[in-house]
Amino acid sequence: MADAPRTLTVNKLPHASLTVRAFLLAAFEPLGLEPLAGKTGLDREIREPVLHRPGLALTGFYDHFAWRQMQLFGRSEIAYLRTLAPECRRARWEELLRRDVPCIILCAADKEPIDGELLAMADGAGVPVLATRQKSFAVFRVGSLLLHELTSPRASMHGTLVDVRGVGVLLEGPPGIGKSETALGLVRQGCALVADDVALLSLDAHGVLWGTAPNHLRGFMEIRGLGLLHVPTLFGISAVRPECRMDLIVSLRRCTTEEDVDRVGSDVQTCAVLGVPVPRLLIPVAAGRDFVNVVETAAATFKMRGSGVDAAAVLDEQVVNYYQTVEQKHD
């Protein structure tokens, strides 16, 4: 089979530095964070994407203090500071702000009045103070997931990503092989387009691969001879998905020999994408083949294998049992 590389090109994307502003935008909806002070410092870099509770630092002990991390204040930290004399409390705030922390997050801000002295000092130091009405344990849990997603490895792959009835299938192959045409047929059968031409991939906090389209290409598909198509306009909003898991890679290749074609399905190849092994099928392109049905069946087979049913293994077991029965009869 020509044009059938054993490995696929996965282009790892560089990460821009994570800023307080980027975290604030990502956390605005799930956590209701809002900036109260230090807005001039929203472009501060978060050098270590971890939420840290200052603990002993509030007593003046700064050995091993994680100053590169965002400082999370719950009701207990705020209550402790209120037990201090005003001069001592001010000194604690000044010492914390001098450590060049990325930002301070105050939790349960509706139940605990905000320290006006802190806000004034944070404005002067250019350290953002963010507030939320949610409790600290919820902020820590959700915020940690957001930080992981914002800093997780990212990559791009050339191909067309389609949600085939709950299975994310990336169609890849050389230009002109029929990836977009196959995807168009799948969309007409009720599947949903996620990305055409290039898919942006990332890992979530559970190590699952997710794919989406670049913002400027979302919902568009290019068909040779027809040009650009806007899929939701032609087929409805349900014909597109903003993202989906990438479960399976289907490689379309021009067929010249039977050498690399798996006729039985017992040899499942995988391709490593961001360190995650993804099953990969090599489908030979030949005149008259219905690739829409082939890809739909490939997705159904993937689901079936996930539930523990493997047609090749069943056939192999039946053949072994048959010959064992024949041998016993001869004996």
Side-chain angles (χ1 to χ4, degrees):
M1 178 180 293
D3 304 324
R6 291 293 181 182
T7 59
L8 299 180
T9 301
V10 180
N11 301 308
K12 289 189 176 180
L13 302 178
H15 257 298
S17 60
L18 178 61
T19 63
V20 176
R21 186 187 305 275
F23 177 77
L24 178 61
L25 290 173
F28 177 76
E29 183 175 349
L31 293 178
L33 279 179
E34 58 175 333
L36 298 183
K39 296 180 182 179
T40 58
L42 286 176
D43 291 321
R44 280 175 171 263
E45 181 181 358
I46 302 172
R47 296 177 177 87
E48 293 180 2
V50 179
L51 291 169
H52 176 259
R53 303 192 73 157
L56 287 174
L58 299 181
T59 69
F61 183 78
Y62 277 91
D63 290 0
H64 314 293
F65 177 62
W67 62 271
R68 298 178 178 85
Q69 303 171 9
M70 294 184 290
Q71 304 302 308
L72 183 66
F73 280 67
R75 297 180 68 182
S76 58
E77 286 86 356
I78 296 173
Y80 168 73
L81 288 170
R82 286 207 178 92
T83 65
L84 303 178
E87 298 79 8
C88 182
R89 183 168 61 248
R90 180 180 179 84
R92 294 286 189 268
W93 282 129
E94 287 179 343
E95 194 167 5
L96 178 69
L97 293 171
R98 278 202 306 268
R99 302 286 167 169
D100 198 29
V101 297
C103 70
I104 293 171
I105 299 177
L106 303 178
C107 304
D110 60 330
K111 298 177 181 176
E112 299 289 345
I114 304 302
D115 191 331
E117 194 173 35
L118 163 65
L119 301 183
M121 294 167 62
D123 270 329
V127 175
V129 176
L130 313 178
T132 175
R133 296 180 179 182
Q134 298 196 29
K135 295 182 179 179
S136 56
F137 74 88
V139 176
F140 192 90
R141 177 176 56 84
V142 176
S144 297
L145 290 174
L146 287 173
L147 287 170
H148 179 88
E149 292 176 2
L150 289 169
T151 58
S152 64
R154 299 178 185 272
S156 67
M157 288 184 68
H158 286 287
T160 300
L161 183 60
V162 185
D163 184 342
V164 183
R165 312 194 193 285
V167 178
V169 179
L170 179 75
L171 303 171
E172 75 83 30
I177 198 71
K179 301 183 293 294
S180 296
E181 289 81 356
T182 302
L184 179 61
L186 290 166
V187 169
R188 291 180 62 86
Q189 296 277 25
C191 303
L193 175 72
V194 178
D196 187 41
D197 188 48
V198 62
L200 302 180
L201 308 173
S202 63
L203 281 175
D204 67 12
H206 305 288
V208 177
L209 272 174
W210 288 83
T212 187
N215 289 332
H216 63 289
L217 296 177
R218 190 162 295 164
F220 287 94
M221 176 182 288
E222 180 188 1
I223 302 293
R224 292 173 184 254
L226 292 180
L228 284 175
L229 306 179
H230 190 238
V231 175
T233 301
L234 290 173
F235 304 106
I237 193 64
S238 62
V240 294
R241 296 275 190 281
E243 64 177 359
C244 75
R245 292 175 51 154
M246 195 179 84
D247 300 304
L248 178 66
I249 297 173
V250 173
S251 296
L252 302 179
R253 292 292 183 265
R254 295 183 179 88
C255 183
T256 56
T257 93
E258 296 284 332
E259 181 180 355
D260 287 326
V261 180
D262 187 1
R263 300 287 298 273
V264 178
S266 57
D267 182 19
V268 179
Q269 296 187 21
T270 60
C271 176
V273 180
L274 294 177
V276 177
V278 181
R280 179 191 179 198
L281 299 177
L282 295 175
I283 306 297
V285 174
R289 297 199 75 185
D290 187 347
F291 295 109
V292 173
N293 283 332
V294 169
V295 174
E296 274 196 295
T297 304
T301 302
F302 173 83
K303 277 187 175 180
M304 184 179 66
R305 282 180 170 163
S307 63
V309 180
D310 188 333
V314 171
L315 176 61
D316 182 65
E317 183 180 356
Q318 290 180 355
V319 171
V320 170
N321 290 338
Y322 170 77
Y323 281 107
Q324 286 179 346
T325 303
V326 171
E327 290 178 358
Q328 289 174 0
K329 287 181 178 181
H330 284 299
D331 291 343

